[in-house]
Amino acid sequence: MKTCRCVIRDATGPESGAPRCGLIEGETVVEISGPPWGQWSRGPRSWRLAEVRLLAPVEPTKIVCIGRNYAAHAAEMGNEVPKEPLMFLKPPSSIIGPDEAIVLPKYSQKVEHEGELALVVGRRCSQLRDGDDALSFVAGYTCLNDVTARDLQKSDVQFTRAKGFDTFCAVGPHIETALDASSVLVETHVNGTRRQSGLTSLMTYPPAFLVRWISRMMTLMPGDLIATGTPAGVGPLVAGDTVEVSVAGVGVLRNPVHAPQA
């Protein structure tokens, strides 16, 4: 089941009204009463999918990211696989949705894509025990591009600036609530050429482990995002590119890349 956040286009083209949450059924979006990561019911209104613009499907209090979770990616970066999950945060202000532009910052000369599977937290989650069903706290799954200023990441050592620029967390196109994420294909294409391809079964730390482990450090709130790491093949983005992150069973997240703002 696919859920989304969207705004409605009227007959003349402009968008109107506040963002709405919806259930995608084929080529129709049915309005729902609450956010996909909370309690909701079907509403009376619906629109053709062509009549809406999809937004980032989440409004997280935090974005928790896991680095070097695929051995091949750790190796391509010249690093060992961490003995524990390598965790960092991206600010919610970095989020953009489908078809919104990734804007290259003037402070970096090497911006790269990192396509990932992301988990959307469905209910408050804290101090999970080994026997707890961690995935029962997950509302669904989506695509995420953990855009990274690689030169700044290397010069700063820690990740905050390199990962935190506005537009550096593309998310979407929707949330898939019914997915077995244990072995799905994650791929990134730039201008139609495949750059990244890896199965989630190759993760060092799988989704259930990550939810349980993160909950012991910080309370996860409904709508929070967990980015599970990127497969090997990260590479540069330049102005004029179109980058697509796909997760099998979820969909394709597409974003143009724009030059730095003056």
Side-chain angles (χ1 to χ4, degrees), residues 45-67:
R45 295 185 293 180
S46 65
W47 301 269
R48 290 186 300 112
L49 190 56
E51 294 176 322
V52 308
R53 179 172 69 87
L54 297 180
L55 306 175
V58 290
E59 294 180 293
T61 68
K62 55 188 168 293
I63 306 160
V64 186
C65 303
I66 303 299

Side-chain angles (χ1 to χ4, degrees), residues 58-64 90-92 95 219-225:
V58 290
E59 294 180 293
T61 68
K62 55 188 168 293
I63 306 160
V64 186
K90 290 174 85 82
I95 287 180
T219 299
L220 292 166
M221 302 301 293
D224 282 352
L225 272 176

Side-chain angles (χ1 to χ4, degrees), residues 125-130 132 212 214-219:
C125 177
S126 178
Q127 298 297 325
L128 293 187
R129 297 165 294 184
D130 288 347
D132 290 333
R212 193 175 294 114
I214 294 167
S215 80
R216 297 170 182 174
M217 257 57 70
M218 62 186 73
T219 299

Side-chain angles (χ1 to χ4, degrees), residues 14-91:
E15 296 159 358
S16 60
R20 296 167 167 86
C21 295
L23 177 64
I24 299 176
E25 296 180 336
E27 295 301 312
T28 301
V29 177
V30 179
E31 187 173 21
I32 59 177
S33 61
W37 52 88
Q39 297 294 320
W40 56 266
S41 58
R42 293 172 67 100
R45 295 185 293 180
S46 65
W47 301 269
R48 290 186 300 112
L49 190 56
E51 294 176 322
V52 308
R53 179 172 69 87
L54 297 180
L55 306 175
V58 290
E59 294 180 293
T61 68
K62 55 188 168 293
I63 306 160
V64 186
C65 303
I66 303 299
R68 304 171 195 163
N69 199 22
Y70 291 78
H73 172 60
E76 75 177 347
M77 303 306 293
N79 298 301
E80 296 182 353
V81 174
K83 293 181 173 59
E84 293 183 307
L86 173 62
M87 183 172 63
F88 60 93
L89 299 175
K90 290 174 85 82

